[in-house]
Amino acid sequence: MNVSLSFPQTSASPFLHSISTPFSSVPFHSLQKRCRFVTRASSSELPLLPFPIEQVLVPSETKTLHLYEARYLALLEESLFKKKKLFVHFVLDPIAINDTSGEASFAARYGCLVAIEKVEQLEIGALVSIRGIGRVKILKFEQAEPYLTGAVIPLLDNIPHSDTELSSKVLEIKEALRSLNSLEIKLKVPQEALLQTLTANSLRWSKNAPVLDCDNSFIPPFAELVSFAALQPVSGSSESELQKLQKKKLRAMDIKDTLERLEDSIGYVQDNISLVAAKLAIQSLDSRL
């Protein structure tokens, strides 16, 4: 998914800031270091990058951003060279102050710690590939200029389950995703539509135990990461299907029970299997006419 960032100025948006440091391609392997061991979660001050509420990012998911405004390039510079290639992706939830002023404030509802996997310099701005690591709670905003920063702590599932329960559901969702992928390969979609390789990429990344130069309490356990991996678009998704996915992602970010989220994700994949199978049947009929 490619996203260009250019938000209107609001009370929660940082102001423009010039940047002089040039950007070059930064491969992911350069940020793969072992997290230091910690016994308890501690807060970290990180840059915060705001998005509209329909652009939720979940752990294990990837996204490509086109950053070109000076304030966001300044945020990128800070993340690359001072914050160990980390920042927080969060959505803005507009809350009206009153009916007469026409103004609005913004509240952070969901946050996802992200790692910068690659940066490609462009003639205007930069393409930035990011990966969701884990959910965070924003304790407070530290600054607004030239870009937002805040104190964050990890937000992990807190309902314990047996390894057997979780392993069974993880296996079930992996098998369901394989079935979905095999159907999607047969589906004829517009050339520009994404192929369903996103979930496979997320599953591989989750299995390989992400290692970053950070507080390891920010990295969720494997089962929790897998519970988010299925929440990505399938080939040829319509606008209404993408909107349904956003609601699923919002709910998933709010759930504190890994097993419940795994079950929700399995249901989502099974619905998509039925949907893609129906599309294949229609295509087969059309080809015979």
Side-chain angles (χ1 to χ4, degrees), residues 63-138:
K63 180 186 285 189
T64 300
L65 311 175
H66 179 200
L67 303 182
Y68 53 87
E69 288 194 38
R71 52 183 166 160
Y72 298 127
L73 292 176
L75 182 151
L76 178 60
E77 180 184 37
E78 174 79 6
S79 300
L80 284 173
F81 302 114
K82 296 182 181 179
K83 298 300 182 181
K84 303 172 183 176
K85 302 181 177 68
L86 302 171
F87 65 87
V88 173
H89 175 297
F90 77 103
V91 296
L92 295 173
D93 180 25
I95 302 173
I97 295 174
N98 58 59
D99 295 332
T100 58
S101 69
E103 297 178 347
S105 62
F106 294 91
R109 294 180 60 196
Y110 302 98
C112 186
L113 177 68
V114 302
I116 298 171
E117 294 191 337
K118 184 179 179 182
V119 177
E120 179 185 350
Q121 185 179 7
L122 301 177
E123 184 176 344
I124 300 177
L127 283 181
V128 184
S129 299
I130 61 173
R131 169 85 65 178
I133 303 300
R135 291 172 298 166
V136 297
K137 178 179 180 179
I138 301 174

Side-chain angles (χ1 to χ4, degrees), residues 114-166:
V114 302
I116 298 171
E117 294 191 337
K118 184 179 179 182
V119 177
E120 179 185 350
Q121 185 179 7
L122 301 177
E123 184 176 344
I124 300 177
L127 283 181
V128 184
S129 299
I130 61 173
R131 169 85 65 178
I133 303 300
R135 291 172 298 166
V136 297
K137 178 179 180 179
I138 301 174
L139 298 178
K140 61 178 179 178
F141 294 104
E142 299 287 358
Q143 70 174 42
E145 302 177 25
Y147 48 81
L148 285 172
T149 68
V152 302
I153 58 172
L155 181 62
L156 302 177
D157 289 341
N158 55 18
I159 299 177
H161 293 283
S162 70
D163 290 343
T164 301
E165 284 182 299
L166 293 177

Side-chain angles (χ1 to χ4, degrees), residues 140-250:
K140 61 178 179 178
F141 294 104
E142 299 287 358
Q143 70 174 42
E145 302 177 25
Y147 48 81
L148 285 172
T149 68
V152 302
I153 58 172
L155 181 62
L156 302 177
D157 289 341
N158 55 18
I159 299 177
H161 293 283
S162 70
D163 290 343
T164 301
E165 284 182 299
L166 293 177
S167 296
S168 173
K169 290 299 178 182
V170 167
L171 180 60
E172 186 176 348
I173 198 169
K174 289 168 71 175
E175 291 176 345
L177 284 172
R178 278 196 290 269
S179 298
L180 178 60
N181 289 340
S182 66
L183 286 174
E184 286 190 281
I185 292 172
K186 305 172 186 176
L187 186 65
K188 296 178 182 179
V189 297
Q191 188 173 5
E192 65 273 13
L194 290 174
L195 291 176
Q196 180 62 10
T197 57
L198 300 174
T199 52
N201 178 283
S202 293
L203 286 172
R204 283 195 301 270
W205 179 83
S206 302
K207 183 178 179 180
N208 290 335
V211 284
L212 304 164
D213 189 4
C214 67
D215 182 334
N216 62 355
S217 61
F218 281 86
I219 301 178
F222 173 64
E224 184 172 333
L225 284 173
V226 172
S227 71
F228 287 104
L231 301 175
Q232 299 186 59
V234 299
S235 300
S237 293
S238 66
E239 190 61 33
S240 63
E241 290 162 358
L242 291 174
Q243 290 175 0
K244 179 181 177 181
L245 172 60
Q246 286 301 316
K247 293 179 181 179
K248 287 282 187 182
K249 290 165 74 172
L250 282 168

